[in-house]
Structure formats: structure tokens, C-alpha cells
Amino acid sequence: MNPDRALRRSRLKLLALITVFALPMLAAWVMVTWRVGIPEQRTAHGELSPEVPLLAEWPLNELPLSLQTNDWILAFDCGTECDAQADQWWRLHRALGREADRISRLRIGGQATEPLPGETLAQWAEVPEWRSPGKLWVLDPQGMAAVSYTEGVDAADVLDDVQQLLDMNPQPPGSVDAEVAKR
């Protein structure tokens, strides 16, 4: 084979290889710069709340021991219709089906003496500035607020977000529930 032809062939292969790796980067740059091909749909219905501290730092009278697990937590601040809110979030909890055991509920405030099944009661020791009556927070297993919702949010939207969070964050392999699910 002619050495000049072999050199040209090697250069073409190198150019093709560079093109294969550079073309996706060029396409991504075009998509970001001119907003072409980027979906406009919204997947989360809640809001991010970076100002909310970890659950362990919340000014509650006492943090119940039942919440110091590796569960996700639905924490809601009872506003005006506390019993109706508690019932709504209890129904949402049940709607999760087999994933319901990965969620705990924390009701803060209100006049309830008996919690609903799967619910923990707490009271504010002092009112933090980031608090707002009727607010709902979804807390991750480390106690960080993943998403928050204002009063009057549709429970179906919260259910959609919680299911997505649980799907994206599967049970750790060593957990008891993960072992039962394998059988």
C-alpha cells in the first residue's frame, strides 16, 4: 500500500473519531444557547427550600425518637383546618402502597391529642422565620428539606413528587425492607 494513502486514511479515521466525540458537545451547546429541543414540562410541583435547616435543628419541643430513622418524612405545619390536613396527608401516605413504609409523617402544631396511624405529633418551641402555617415539607432521610409546598396544594401533585423521589432514591441494599422485597 502506498504510504501517502495510508497516512491519508489514518487522518480520516482520526477526523471521524474526533467528529464522533465533538458532535454531541456541539449539539448540546446549540440546545443550551438557542433553547432548541429542551423540554418545557415541569416535573416537580413543589419548591426548593434551601433556607430550611435540617430537621434536627428545627425549634421543636422535642424531636420524637420515631423520626430518627432512615425514612423520608412528610412534615406539615397545621394551619387552620388541622384535622382535614392530617386526614389528607394520611390518605396520601396510604396511596403510596408498598412504598408507604418508607415515609413517616410529622404533624407540627394543632390541638390533636391522638395521632393518626403512622403519624408523629410535635409542637413548635419557638416559631422560626421560615415557617408558614399550612406548609408541607418533604424531608430526605438525612433531615434536609427536599421540596416544600404552600397551603392548599393538591395532594395528587404531592403524591406525584413523592413517588418520583422514592423511585429515584431506592432503598439501600442492606435495609430490612430491601431484603424482604427480594424474596
Side-chain angles (χ1 to χ4, degrees):
M1 185 185 259
N2 184 353
D4 195 32
R5 190 171 193 204
L7 183 62
R8 233 186 336 225
R9 187 177 185 109
S10 295
R11 287 182 179 164
L12 279 174
K13 285 181 185 178
L14 180 62
L15 184 61
L17 186 64
I18 291 172
T19 304
V20 165
F21 287 107
L23 205 54
M25 294 298 292
L26 179 65
W29 179 78
V30 167
M31 288 175 70
V32 168
T33 303
W34 288 299
R35 309 289 299 163
V36 176
I38 297 176
E40 295 296 325
Q41 68 206 33
R42 186 175 174 175
T43 56
H45 300 92
E47 304 168 352
L48 297 177
S49 298
E51 74 279 359
V52 176
L54 291 172
L55 178 61
E57 299 169 7
W58 285 20
L60 300 174
N61 282 342
E62 74 177 69
L63 185 62
L65 293 174
S66 61
L67 291 179
Q68 297 172 358
T69 63
N70 283 336
D71 287 349
W72 288 78
I73 298 171
L74 286 176
F76 62 99
D77 189 354
C78 271
T80 52
E81 299 175 4
C82 192
D83 290 336
Q85 278 185 312
D87 184 62
Q88 177 184 19
W89 303 132
W90 177 79
R91 291 176 188 275
L92 176 136
H93 194 183
R94 294 296 97 206
L96 289 170
R98 65 181 177 163
E99 296 284 354
D101 61 339
R102 295 182 58 199
I103 299 279
S104 298
R105 288 187 331 279
L106 172 63
R107 183 191 323 186
I108 305 170
Q111 304 300 323
T113 56
E114 287 294 316
L116 293 174
E119 183 177 64
T120 304
L121 300 177
Q123 296 291 330
W124 293 113
E126 62 183 65
V127 179
E129 67 273 356
W130 47 264
R131 174 221 183 226
S132 96
K135 193 120 181 165
L136 171 75
W137 298 275
V138 177
L139 306 170
D140 69 8
Q142 287 78 35
M144 293 180 64
V147 185
S148 67
Y149 303 89
T150 57
E151 187 173 19
V153 66
D154 187 19
D157 291 342
V158 177
L159 178 64
D160 184 42
D161 288 352
V162 169
Q163 286 175 327
Q164 186 173 0
L165 281 170
L166 293 176
D167 287 345
M168 293 176 68
N169 297 284
Q171 291 268 81
S175 69
V176 174
D177 295 327
E179 296 301 321
V180 171
K182 285 184 183 178
R183 294 181 193 166

